[in-house]
Amino acid sequence: MPEGPSIVILREEAARFKGKTIARAEGNTRTLDLPSLEGAKIKAVRSFGKQFLIALPNTALRIHFMLFGSYRIDERKASAPRLSLQCTDGSELNFYACSVRQIDADLDGAYDWRGDVMSPDWDPALARKKLRAAPDLLACDALLDQDIFAGVGNIIKNEVLFRIRLHPLARIGDLPAPKLRQLVEQARQYSFDFLEWKKQFVLKQHWLAHTKSTCPRCHIPFKKGHLGQSRRRSFYCERCQKRYA
DNA sequence: TGGAATGTTGGAAC
DNA sequence: CGTTCCAACATTCC
């Protein structure tokens, strides 16, 4: 659910809610004044990185699914929704176990879409510039940095590092320019591969590194560790993923 | 079945 | 006051 491509799928599934009017807003969210949403017309359904955005006339709703969040469209789960938006035509958007926030209605002022790996506005040169400004950052932390690669999560991190043969503990400042360029290119490319595979329900079978125990190139055991500042799981091959140090 | 995980926030501690 | 660390949140799967 949580990584950028999954949010793009949600955005596509929810696109038909644009123009609908909220008849009733319910849920156990404590960060929203639900009655004030009733009568509002959905102006747009957008996404930024791992965030799902619903633009309303005077405000916008930001849904972040964290680790456990989920959603249902025109269906309900057994558990209580964090937020349920029921439209005048009977269709509904239901969100569970997620973080909900109301934000500035001017989404284009609030977000810089050049930093979203899934966005048509993605700017690889800007990402390279941000990376060059952080030479001490480790590759595993760089990919998870939402200010550089909004939408990239831990699965994409592990797969990109394996794909470009880069060690998770490689220091950004040590990377040769072509490797830095490849890191930025593949952060986006893998995210789109992820999107297609997820749509076809074949994402997991394409994982080469994430949760794997053996390197498919070298056939030696993967190293595992909670690396970098993020302490997120890394699966990597000491033989074919280089550190450049 | 207990523990860990596709993640982020906010407050304590230093 | 800035930085870092850690608990909290809450669901599913192995």
Side-chain angles (χ1 to χ4, degrees), chain A residues 19-189:
Chain A
K20 295 192 184 198
T21 299
I22 297 168
R24 182 150 178 75
E26 300 179 316
N28 57 21
T29 175
R30 285 187 293 173
T31 58
L32 238 50
D33 179 45
L34 296 174
S36 69
L37 303 179
E38 297 179 0
K41 188 171 177 175
I42 295 173
K43 290 200 306 182
V45 165
R46 309 182 67 177
S47 66
F48 178 84
K50 300 169 186 170
Q51 305 170 40
F52 178 61
L53 304 165
I54 302 171
L56 300 175
N58 297 309
T59 186
L61 307 181
R62 191 206 77 159
I63 315 284
H64 197 300
F65 293 93
M66 313 302 282
L67 220 45
F68 314 125
S70 60
Y71 67 92
R72 292 292 185 274
I73 297 175
D74 295 337
E75 282 176 23
R76 297 182 185 193
K77 295 182 72 170
S79 53
R82 175 67 30 84
L83 175 66
S84 172
L85 299 177
Q86 300 157 22
C87 297
T88 51
D89 68 350
S91 59
E92 57 186 54
L93 287 170
N94 298 310
F95 303 99
Y96 304 86
C98 53
S99 157
V100 179
R101 272 207 219 167
Q102 201 159 337
I103 57 169
D104 191 335
D106 177 21
L107 293 177
D108 285 313
Y111 294 98
D112 183 352
W113 264 269
R114 294 177 300 168
D116 178 355
V117 294
M118 301 306 294
S119 170
D121 295 332
W122 167 248
D123 184 341
L126 181 62
R128 292 195 299 271
K129 186 178 171 184
K130 290 171 182 171
L131 289 169
R132 285 193 301 268
D136 289 328
L137 198 58
L138 302 178
C140 60
D141 288 325
L143 279 165
L144 292 176
D145 188 329
Q146 300 300 295
D147 292 329
I148 305 175
F149 298 109
V152 170
N154 206 38
I155 297 171
I156 297 173
K157 174 198 82 177
N158 281 316
E159 294 297 320
V160 167
L161 291 174
F162 180 73
R163 184 179 270 192
I164 69 172
R165 304 181 185 230
L166 182 60
H167 196 289
L169 295 177
R171 200 177 146 271
I172 292 299
D174 291 335
L175 301 190
K179 188 54 65 174
L180 188 79
R181 175 174 287 270
Q182 204 182 12
L183 175 65
V184 171
E185 274 172 5
Q186 289 301 320
R188 178 171 167 90
Q189 181 57 53

Side-chain angles (χ1 to χ4, degrees), chain A residues 164-220:
Chain A
I164 69 172
R165 304 181 185 230
L166 182 60
H167 196 289
L169 295 177
R171 200 177 146 271
I172 292 299
D174 291 335
L175 301 190
K179 188 54 65 174
L180 188 79
R181 175 174 287 270
Q182 204 182 12
L183 175 65
V184 171
E185 274 172 5
Q186 289 301 320
R188 178 171 167 90
Q189 181 57 53
Y190 186 85
S191 295
F192 277 89
D193 292 344
F194 182 124
L195 174 64
E196 286 313 309
W197 290 331
K198 176 126 187 157
K199 283 180 174 177
Q200 305 301 323
F201 306 101
V202 294
L203 176 63
K204 227 182 230 191
Q205 57 187 265
H206 282 89
W207 289 351
L208 298 178
H210 189 71
T211 73
K212 299 297 176 183
S213 51
T214 306
C215 174
R217 282 193 289 249
C218 307
H219 309 291
I220 64 170

Side-chain angles (χ1 to χ4, degrees), chain A residues 8-28:
Chain A
V8 168
I9 292 172
L10 164 57
R11 190 191 72 212
E12 292 175 355
E13 289 175 350
R16 61 186 177 79
F17 282 77
K18 179 179 176 177
K20 295 192 184 198
T21 299
I22 297 168
R24 182 150 178 75
E26 300 179 316
N28 57 21

